[in-house]
């Protein structure tokens, strides 16, 4: 199934060159979780990152469905 | 005493008489400094019912006990007065260099009373204190004024001044310092203009003596190291300033779009941090002694929006940009420059134009009245409105009253997205419930800087909170309001203090901030005592508000936030569930069920009972 991963600001450096405006499309097997999808990228997977599914706060073990967007950004800065 | 000079400069602008006075050390400790000292004096000396633009209003510039110390970002001051926009309290914070230079004049606080018969500026070089004529800079913008006054005083001096917007009493007028930094909100620049006070020019060498200079230096170095380690890892605040935030709020569906009709903006990629960095960024610029350096020096090199200056930062992008449906970055950058030059708060400016755009599109305000079409997304019309507002020309006179009075005049006050008549900043509270409670109860009307729980709800700093839930939010909002009152009183910048001077728990504790204040002042605060003093400040402000007539019934939100669900994005279908949070908030504050501080609470905080 196709899902998308979006990385914001400094995290964009972890994206492959084909990413556009911080978004890549990925073909992932059924049962892939938020954690599985985001751990493909070299970003901190601890409290230094905020990771959301379709903009919502979810458990990292939530399984993805076709068309989902996982987004991550650094929690180092704040506004 | 250390840290504080315990000296105030009082300027009677009517008579041009200048006096100095000492501050009682107990008052100094109990009210912390900055914002805290200012409300103590305002409450004691001024009838809260005065007309904000009359000579009876008092204008206060207040530094904190960490201003002009080695503490990283100890570069802030607060401008405190009665707001002509909200009719309630104004307290606006700014950094840059002026606040440090002001404190080095040997005074912690300047109090301005009365009204000068003609335009003047105040020059302070330690004991040389002069009220000087300013007719030659009246009518000039912030940049010109700053250059002229430095040239005729000293290049070593620093300048805070108003632009044309403040002179013309536009209610979104800011007080600008060091050209690009703003004590922006609540119309403080209009109060300065109403007093015929064009500028304050400060210089001196009187750094405050420190209680424990060695420990202070060590703690400051360590704090700077912590900031530096994050900068090395890649801190977005250094790389982008706050301009990276539109992508974050757009992801969460809380990016104010077209006067809050939507929570996501289709043109966000055109105006985000990467677009700014790739097209117009020259370099980052710090306030004095700041290891983070979030300012942006930018330039639009050619074309109709040619110019050079600072910004935009997030709040400008979410108001003059997405708030107005504008996705032309060069035009947005230019709009920011104009606001800085005329001396205007970009949030109120942008959101007032945004409501005018909605009313134009709905047919409530005609093209004849405005003088041109004013559709969402029309960046040239947006830019034209800024000038009209600053000069109060034609329809600009209506705009200069802010969005609430504008929408009310044309029959639809429900379209103004304000609390206490002050425009919302860049977080739609329908998708960040804690921010909704904050806007509703804030002592200065809608403002993120009154207790920015978006740190947790949006940015995960220091821990992530679910923005869509209401559980636990009253407790969090109260705690953040008190913590922000503490930061605003201390003289540190919130951006650095919240991340590096508080413990990294959900209920942030000002452990390191209290230590810094102790090394500066010797006051011996525990973190809990410092927070208690901040709660005292917060409650005294609440008392001022109530006496000014901005009663607890105003602790509410505009129609759109309570009755029009977000139509798009992750928070689709949501309104702010204020009634689920407000009663608990009052209880936690020790206020009665109507929102008035109880006698017990006032006694506990050693506040006056009337
Ligand atoms: S973090 Fe930004 S606003 Fe704060 S002191 Fe540093 S440069 Fe100034």
């Amino acid at each position: 199934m196709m899902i998308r991963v979006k990385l914001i600001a400094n995290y964009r450096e972890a994206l492959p060159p084909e990413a556009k405006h911080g978004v890549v499309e990925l073909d992932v097997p059924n049962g892939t979780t938020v954690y599985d999808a985001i751990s493909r990228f070299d970003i901190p997977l601890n409290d230094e990152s905020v990771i959301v599914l379709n903009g919502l706060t979810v458990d990292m073990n939530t399984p993805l469905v076709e068309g989902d967007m996982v987004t991550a950004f650094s929690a180092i800065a704040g506004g | 005493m250390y840290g504080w000079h315990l000296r105030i400069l009082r300027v009677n602008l009517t008579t041009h008489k200048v006096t100095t006075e000492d501050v009682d050390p107990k008052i100094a400790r109990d009210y912390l400094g900055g914002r805290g000292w200012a409300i103590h004096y305002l409450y004691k000396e001024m009838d809260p019912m005065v007309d904000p633009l009359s000579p009876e209003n008092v204008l206060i510039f207040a530094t904190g006990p960490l201003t002009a110390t080695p503490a990283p970002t100890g570069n802030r001051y607060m401008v405190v007065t009665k707001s002509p926009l909200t009719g309630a309290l104004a307290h606006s914070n700014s950094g840059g260099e002026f606040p440090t230079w002001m404190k080095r004049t040997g005074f912690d606080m300047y109090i301005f009373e009365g009204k000068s018969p003609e335009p003047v500026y105040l020059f302070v070089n330690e004991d040389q204190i002069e009220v000087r004529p300013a007719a030659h800079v009246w009518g000039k913008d912030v940049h010109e004024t700053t250059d002229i006054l430095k040239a005729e005083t000293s290049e070593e001096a620093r300048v805070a001044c108003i632009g044309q917007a403040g002179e013309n009493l536009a209610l979104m007028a800011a007080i600008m310092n060091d050209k690009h930094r703003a004590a922006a909100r609540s119309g403080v620049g209009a109060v300065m203009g109403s007093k015929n006070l064009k500028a304050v020019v400060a210089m001196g060498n009187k750094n405050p003596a420190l209680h424990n200079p060695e420990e202070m230096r060590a703690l400051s170095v360590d704090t700077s190291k912590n900031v530096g380690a994050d900068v090395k890892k890649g801190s977005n605040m250094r790389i982008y300033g706050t301009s990276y935030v539109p992508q974050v709020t757009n992801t969460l569906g809380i990016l104010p779009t077209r006067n809050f009709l939507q929570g996501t903006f289709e043109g966000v990629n055109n105006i985000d941090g990467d677009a700014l960095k790739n097209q117009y960024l020259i370099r980052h610029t710090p306030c004095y002694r700041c290891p983070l350096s979030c300012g942006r020096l930018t330039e639009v090199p050619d074309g109709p929006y040619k110019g050079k200056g600072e910004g935009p930062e997030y709040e400008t992008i979410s108001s003059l940009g997405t708030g107005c449906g504008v996705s032309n970055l060069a035009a947005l950058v230019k709009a920011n420059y104009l606001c800085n030059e005329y001396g205007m708060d970009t949030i109120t400016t942008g959101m007032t134009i945004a409501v005018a755009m909605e009313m134009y599109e709905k047919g409530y305000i005609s093209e004849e009245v405005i003088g041109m079409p004013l559709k969402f997304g029309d960046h040239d019309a947006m830019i034209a409105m800024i000038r009209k507002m600053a000069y109060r020309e034609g329809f600009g006179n209506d705009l200069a009253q802010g969005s609430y009075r504008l929408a009310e005049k044309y029959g639809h006050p429900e379209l103004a997205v304000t609390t206490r008549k002050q425009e919302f900043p860049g977080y739609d509270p329908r998708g960040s419930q804690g921010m909704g409670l904050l806007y509703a109860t804030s002592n200065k009307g809608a403002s993120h800087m009154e207790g920015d729980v978006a740190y947790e709800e949006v940015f995960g700093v220091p821990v992530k909170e679910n923005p869509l839930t209401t559980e636990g939010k009253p407790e969090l909002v109260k705690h953040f309001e008190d913590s922000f009152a503490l930061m605003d009183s201390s003289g540190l910048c919130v951006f650095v203090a919240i991340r590096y001077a508080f413990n990294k728990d959900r209920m942030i504790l000002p452990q390191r901030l209290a230590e810094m204040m102790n090394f500066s002042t010797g006051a011996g605060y525990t973190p809990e005592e410092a927070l208690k003093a901040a709660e005292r400040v917060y409650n005294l402000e609440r008392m001022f508000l109530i006496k000014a007539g901005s009663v607890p019934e105003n602790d509410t939100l505009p129609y759109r936030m309570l009755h029009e669900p977000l139509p798009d994005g992750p928070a689709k279908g949501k309104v702010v569930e204020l009634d689920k949070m407000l009663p608990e908030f009052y209880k936690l504050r020790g206020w009665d069920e109507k929102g008035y501080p109880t006698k017990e609470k006032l006694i506990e905080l050693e506040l006056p009972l009337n």
Side-chain angles (χ1 to χ4, degrees):
Chain A
M1 62 177 175
M2 297 306 288
I3 60 132
R4 286 170 301 158
V5 171
K6 178 169 180 160
L7 300 183
I8 292 175
N10 61 336
Y11 279 9
R12 288 187 180 184
E13 281 176 22
L15 286 167
E18 70 266 22
K20 238 190 132 195
H21 295 303
V23 182
V24 276
E25 283 210 69
L26 297 177
D27 195 352
V28 296
N30 281 343
T32 299
T33 64
V34 172
Y35 183 86
D36 298 336
I38 205 71
S39 59
R40 292 176 173 214
F41 301 90
D42 182 21
I43 59 164
L45 294 177
N46 51 23
D47 59 5
E48 280 185 18
S49 298
V50 176
I51 299 160
V52 291
L53 172 60
N54 302 323
L56 300 170
T57 312
V58 295
D59 190 288
M60 287 295 101
N61 296 316
T62 308
L64 300 177
V65 299
E66 175 85 23
D68 272 350
M69 166 106 87
V70 177
T71 305
F73 55 91
S74 168
I76 283 185
Chain B
M1 241 336 159
Y2 303 95
W4 305 288
H5 295 295
L6 296 181
R7 283 190 82 213
I8 293 176
L9 179 64
R10 193 182 287 274
V11 183
N12 185 319
L13 289 163
T14 307
T15 60
H16 293 189
K17 191 167 172 251
V18 175
T19 51
T20 65
E21 60 198 71
D22 296 335
V23 178
D24 174 352
K26 176 163 164 50
I27 296 297
R29 188 184 191 282
D30 288 354
Y31 291 89
L32 300 161
R35 183 174 143 187
W37 281 22
I39 188 62
H40 170 78
Y41 278 84
L42 202 65
Y43 193 85
K44 191 168 69 142
E45 296 184 357
M46 191 181 96
D47 173 4
M49 287 303 286
V50 302
D51 173 355
L53 295 178
S54 73
E56 285 70 44
N57 197 5
V58 172
L59 174 70
I60 301 179
F61 287 13
T63 64
L66 293 176
T67 312
T69 70
T73 77
N75 58 46
R76 320 299 292 186
Y77 85 133
M78 297 292 295
V79 176
V80 181
T81 187
K82 181 172 177 179
S83 162
L85 181 70
T86 66
L89 185 67
H91 50 237
S92 298
N93 183 292
S94 183
E97 296 186 331
F98 171 82
T100 305
W101 269 241
M102 174 184 152
K103 184 142 174 204
R104 287 180 180 160
T105 63
F107 301 96
D108 304 289
M109 200 157 90
Y110 298 168
I111 299 180
F112 299 99
E113 304 166 340
K115 173 184 179 171
S116 173
E118 68 286 318
V120 291
Y121 75 94
L122 176 73
F123 176 69
V124 189
N125 179 5
E126 300 188 358
D127 297 328
Q128 183 194 357
I129 304 159
E130 294 167 13
V131 178
R132 297 180 173 181
H136 60 307
V137 281
W138 201 253
K140 300 233 182 292
D141 74 25
V142 167
H143 289 207
E144 294 166 323
T145 302
T146 305
D147 288 338
I148 291 169
L149 295 183
K150 279 178 82 161
E152 75 184 40
T153 55
S154 165
E155 283 306 316
E156 301 304 313
R158 295 293 179 269
V159 178
C161 68
I162 54 170
Q164 295 92 335
E167 293 176 8
N168 296 325
L169 313 184
L171 299 190
M172 60 288 302
I175 299 175
M176 306 296 298
N177 60 275
D178 307 293
K179 290 188 181 174
H180 310 288
R181 303 282 157 170
R185 301 226 68 192
S186 317
V188 291
V191 174
M192 192 154 155
S194 76
K195 299 191 170 304
N196 270 330
L197 179 62
K198 177 68 177 176
V200 178
V201 183
M203 61 189 289
N205 291 309
K206 291 191 178 171
N207 277 314
L210 301 177
H211 173 68
N212 191 334
E214 285 75 38
E215 293 281 10
M216 183 68 167
R217 210 147 287 134
L219 193 61
S220 299
V221 167
D222 188 64
T223 306
S224 290
K225 267 195 195 146
N226 293 342
V227 178
D230 280 348
V231 167
K232 216 164 166 194
K233 270 192 231 165
S235 170
N236 283 328
M237 285 292 273
R238 167 64 72 82
I239 305 169
Y240 299 97
T242 56
S243 71
Y244 81 99
V245 175
Q247 289 289 358
V248 172
T249 49
N250 196 57
T251 294
L252 302 185
I254 58 169
L255 175 59
T257 299
R258 299 184 183 83
N259 197 35
F260 290 87
L261 285 166
Q262 294 158 270
T264 62
F265 185 55
E266 68 289 349
V268 69
N269 292 329
N270 299 333
I271 53 172
D272 70 354
D274 280 291
L276 185 69
K277 182 166 164 263
N278 295 335
Q279 295 175 58
Y280 305 124
L281 181 68
I282 300 175
R283 61 180 159 82
H284 58 88
T285 51
C287 299
Y288 193 65
R289 281 187 181 148
C290 175
L292 191 52
S293 192
C294 77
R296 308 287 96 183
L297 180 66
T298 55
E299 180 171 23
V300 180
D302 43 39
Y305 310 115
K306 188 172 161 26
K308 191 172 175 180
E310 279 197 26
E313 59 161 323
Y314 174 61
E315 290 298 338
T316 304
I317 298 173
S318 66
S319 48
L320 289 158
T322 62
C324 293
V326 164
S327 57
N328 182 315
L329 182 58
L332 173 54
V333 174
K334 180 70 177 178
N336 194 164
Y337 294 162
L338 290 174
C339 286
N340 286 355
E341 288 159 21
Y342 295 137
M344 299 163 84
D345 170 21
T346 55
I347 301 177
T348 289
T349 301
M351 296 320 295
T352 301
I353 296 171
V355 78
M357 286 174 161
E358 183 178 350
M359 293 179 80
Y360 169 79
E361 291 202 349
K362 293 200 158 128
Y364 301 148
I365 307 180
S366 68
E367 189 176 327
E368 290 67 52
V369 167
I370 299 169
M372 63 180 76
L374 190 60
K375 283 196 168 139
F376 281 123
D378 184 342
H379 48 264
D380 285 324
M382 182 262 285
I383 285 177
M385 291 304 126
I386 294 174
R387 193 198 139 85
K388 280 173 176 287
M389 246 170 171
Y391 284 93
R392 293 176 60 178
E393 284 169 5
F395 182 60
N397 191 36
D398 290 338
L399 290 168
Q401 310 308 314
S403 56
Y404 186 85
R405 291 172 180 85
L406 174 79
E408 189 180 43
K409 174 169 176 182
Y410 291 95
H412 290 275
E414 77 284 0
L415 297 182
V417 183
T418 59
T419 49
R420 292 189 157 87
K421 299 194 176 81
Q422 176 153 277
E423 291 70 15
F424 279 26
Y427 306 90
D428 191 319
R430 288 170 291 185
S432 50
Q433 297 284 321
M435 292 301 273
L437 177 62
L438 174 73
Y439 298 165
T441 58
S442 160
N443 281 333
K444 58 173 171 177
S447 166
H448 53 310
M449 297 314 284
E450 190 78 352
D452 198 355
V453 290
Y455 269 95
E456 297 200 1
E457 288 192 322
V458 176
F459 299 106
V461 176
V463 296
K464 175 86 179 124
E465 275 281 320
N466 187 340
L468 294 179
T469 58
T470 56
E471 289 75 36
K473 296 297 165 64
E475 182 194 31
L476 199 65
V477 168
K478 175 195 178 289
H479 186 68
F480 268 62
E481 284 171 343
D482 291 345
S483 301
F484 273 65
L486 174 59
M487 287 185 268
D488 281 348
S489 299
S490 75
L492 283 202
C493 171
V494 162
F495 287 152
V496 163
I498 196 167
R499 179 84 207 180
Y500 303 97
F502 283 76
N503 293 359
K504 295 188 193 322
D505 304 314
R506 176 175 181 266
M507 299 298 273
I508 55 175
L509 188 75
Q511 188 89 44
R512 185 167 279 217
L513 182 54
E515 281 171 29
M516 285 181 179
M517 291 177 69
N518 293 337
F519 294 149
S520 172
T521 64
Y525 297 111
T526 63
E528 291 78 12
E529 277 174 334
L531 267 181
K532 195 69 175 174
E535 188 186 4
R536 175 179 302 122
V537 170
Y538 194 87
N539 276 270
L540 189 59
E541 291 174 346
R542 177 78 172 181
M543 296 293 288
F544 180 90
L545 217 67
I546 291 168
K547 283 196 167 181
S550 192
V551 290
E553 287 73 35
N554 294 331
D555 294 344
T556 185
L557 293 169
Y559 184 85
R560 182 156 289 162
M561 296 298 130
L562 297 175
H563 303 290
E564 290 179 20
L566 265 167
D568 60 355
K572 185 173 172 176
K574 279 279 193 183
V575 294
V576 182
E577 298 177 276
L578 186 61
D579 49 3
K580 280 195 182 166
M581 299 183 280
L582 196 58
E584 189 186 336
F585 175 82
Y586 284 166
K587 217 166 162 188
L588 287 164
R589 276 248 165 255
W591 299 348
D592 68 18
E593 68 281 5
K594 285 195 173 143
Y596 289 87
T598 57
K599 198 173 157 196
E600 294 72 41
K601 191 74 202 175
L602 296 176
I603 291 170
E604 176 199 317
L605 294 171
E606 298 173 57
L607 284 170
L609 293 180
N610 49 49

